């Protein structure tokens, strides 16, 4: 897994940052900067994670899901989503997330099989977390877990 945060000047996540999001253990990656109070998403602001699970060519993909766990650094009302990349269609799909309202983690497990269902799509998978503050002042997001789950039959 690799990662990139555009909430400030653009920053590649280092191994410590990536370790913070590898398990649900209350060690969190905090966004580089705050997410703005706004009425919609800013497509230039996101935290992106790129996965390459190395599924063998010729395998049959049976199921794909992603687990995302996040919270805020203080209380606010937010709208959050994931954009998932399909290498098969060269396009992003939007998946809404449960909105966090404070420092308590919110966990979503989302089935992606409708759009991520081939070896190519799985092995080139990217996901972008995006958020805006719908009520309150700018806040940072805190990320405890981002995990791609793939069930497949090898050739």
């Amino acid at each position: 897994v690799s990662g990139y945060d555009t909430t400030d000047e653009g920053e590649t996540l280092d191994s410590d940052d990536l370790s913070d999001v590898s398990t649900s253990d209350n060690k969190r990656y905090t966004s580089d900067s705050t997410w703005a109070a706004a009425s919609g998403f800013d497509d230039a602001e996101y935290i992106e994670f790129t996965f390459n699970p190395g599924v063998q060519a010729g395998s049959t993909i049976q199921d794909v899901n992603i687990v995302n766990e996040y919270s805020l650094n203080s209380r606010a009302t937010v709208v959050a989503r994931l954009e998932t990349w399909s290498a098969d269609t060269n396009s992003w799909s939007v998946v809404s997330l449960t909105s966090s309202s404070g420092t308590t983690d919110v966990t979503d497990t989302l089935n992606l099989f409708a759009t991520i269902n081939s070896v190519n799509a799985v092995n080139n998978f990217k996901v972008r977390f995006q958020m805006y503050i719908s009520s309150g002042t700018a806040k940072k997001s805190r990320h405890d877990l981002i995990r791609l789950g793939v069930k497949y039959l090898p050739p």
Side-chain angles (χ1 to χ4, degrees), residues 28-102:
R28 295 177 178 87
Y29 170 72
T30 301
S31 60
D32 199 33
S33 187
T34 57
W35 300 89
S39 60
F41 293 100
D42 178 350
D43 285 334
E45 286 195 353
Y46 54 84
I47 301 171
E48 182 174 281
F49 298 94
T50 302
F51 295 82
N52 183 349
V55 175
Q56 184 180 358
S59 295
T60 301
I61 305 300
Q62 297 179 309
D63 195 30
V64 178
N65 68 57
I66 192 155
V67 180
N68 183 77
E69 183 178 343
Y70 80 104
S71 62
L72 307 175
N73 65 331
S74 64
R75 192 152 185 77
T77 303
V78 305
V79 178
R81 71 181 184 186
L82 294 179
E83 288 186 318
T84 61
W85 174 255
S86 172
D88 289 340
T89 61
N90 290 319
S91 63
W92 294 96
S93 297
V94 174
V95 183
S96 295
L97 294 174
T98 303
S99 292
S100 176
S101 60

Side-chain angles (χ1 to χ4, degrees), residues 119-141:
V119 172
N120 180 53
V122 166
N123 284 343
N124 293 287
F125 181 72
K126 296 187 280 190
V127 62
R128 289 179 174 173
F129 174 89
Q130 292 184 299
M131 183 178 90
Y132 67 89
I133 311 301
S134 59
S135 178
T137 58
K139 304 290 181 227
K140 289 188 175 187
S141 57

